[in-house]
Amino acid sequence: AAEEALRLAPCVQAVYSLLGEGEGGLNLWTAVLQTHIARAHGFSPPSLGVQLLRSAATLAPDVAQAAHYVRFNRCRSGTLSSGCALPDVILARLSDGGAVSLLDSLPAAGPTFLLAASFT
């Protein structure tokens, strides 16, 4: 409840609006908020409280739908299925953050297995 009240506060929402859609800024700001909540509730170190906040849906599945990020999740299921042609998208290279084309990164021939996930 405290995390949700803080996240929905007008001043916090104003910062989210300023950050736009860039995941780096959004993730950093969310981590700052979660650290603040963990400290306010006496977690030492605060990182333990942050991990518990992030794991709440797994640790207590019966209350998973109460979690702010679950109710307001912007993720959606994709439309790709087996046999679909891959779209060409720009990816960030993990080694240096540089841009790389998905299709340019694949071998010219042969089947491709694509597994997508969040890296945060």
Side-chain angles (χ1 to χ4, degrees), residues 33-87:
L33 296 173
Q34 289 174 333
T35 300
H36 173 79
I37 292 293
R39 278 195 184 108
H41 285 82
F43 283 95
S44 181
S47 59
L48 174 62
V50 170
Q51 290 304 316
L52 286 171
L53 280 170
R54 294 177 180 175
S55 304
T58 302
L59 296 173
D62 54 321
V63 295
Q65 290 304 314
H68 181 89
Y69 79 92
V70 172
R71 288 184 291 124
F72 297 100
N73 193 343
R74 296 180 295 166
C75 296
R76 60 178 173 74
S77 294
T79 57
L80 291 177
S81 61
S82 181
C84 285
L86 290 175

Side-chain angles (χ1 to χ4, degrees), residues 79-81 84-91 101-104 106 114:
T79 57
L80 291 177
S81 61
C84 285
L86 290 175
D88 195 14
V89 295
I90 301 300
L91 306 171
S101 161
L102 172 63
L103 295 181
D104 289 345
L106 299 174
L114 178 65

